Amino acid sequence: MTRTTDEVPDTDEPGLSLGDRGAFALLEYRDGRPQALGDFVREATPLLWHTVRAQGVDREQADDIVQTVWVALVRNAMTIKEPHAVLKWLLITAKRAAWEAVRKHRDEVRRRTELPDDTDEGVPELPSGDPTPDVEVLRNERDRILWAALDRLPDRCRRLLQLVSLADRPDYKAISAAIGMPVGSIGSTRGRCLAKLRDIIDDQGESWEAS
């Protein structure tokens, strides 16, 4: 399978994201060079394992689920349409497998008709309310994309969007004083700047997901 130069991330680039390294590993594997995928497996396995554990799966079963997820990636390596989505694909697949494992375990516990106080062994842990590792990774990826795009905006647009984002209901008078823009122009200018920002993100080949 051939690929264009711009599909392959530069692995020597400083600060290369885990998602970019996953895309590179997948493309290398498709071209018959599995070494990069092996490196990516070692790097991303701890993240997948903690993601599975966060859903309430015990340690031993988490190992099995993560291994199954990697096998699924290899089986689907030639059909994944967007290499840069491989990390998200892995995280979603791992979470779904963990949810299914927890569901089956709860069904088994229910069938055994044991009293709740009989034993604590084997009862899944409740997921923590803290952000899970996969959420943190995706959030960091989103922030990286956004800040890179902001840096490419004209200075006035960048300052305006930064000021507007500081509050749910920004004070247009204060913004006007800060950047010397008429109050009546702020709303329309903000819209144009956001459109430019979306265009930059699209040009980078990234998906825009507001959250």
Side-chain angles (χ1 to χ4, degrees), residues 18 21-22 24-25 34-46 70:
L18 186 60
R21 291 194 290 275
F24 174 78
Q35 178 61 43
L37 182 60
D39 294 339
F40 179 64
V41 168
R42 286 188 291 274
E43 187 175 12
T45 288
W70 285 119

Side-chain angles (χ1 to χ4, degrees), residues 73-145:
L73 175 64
V74 171
R75 287 176 178 170
N76 291 277
M78 300 302 176
T79 61
I80 294 177
K81 295 181 180 179
E82 178 49 65
H84 285 279
V86 67
L87 178 61
K88 185 180 292 186
W89 186 94
L90 288 166
L91 292 168
I92 291 173
T93 302
K95 290 178 77 171
R96 287 176 176 171
W99 294 337
E100 179 64 14
V102 170
R103 184 191 65 78
K104 288 182 178 179
H105 182 85
R106 287 173 177 167
D107 289 345
E108 291 172 1
V109 170
R110 193 177 299 114
R111 285 195 297 269
R112 286 201 302 264
T113 67
E114 293 179 346
L115 294 175
D117 293 334
D118 284 349
T119 177
D120 291 331
E121 184 178 356
V123 178
E125 299 173 4
L126 292 175
S128 169
D130 297 331
T132 55
D134 61 306
V135 172
E136 289 292 337
V137 167
L138 296 177
R139 181 184 298 163
N140 290 339
E141 283 286 285
R142 180 204 62 192
D143 290 347
R144 178 187 64 80
I145 293 167

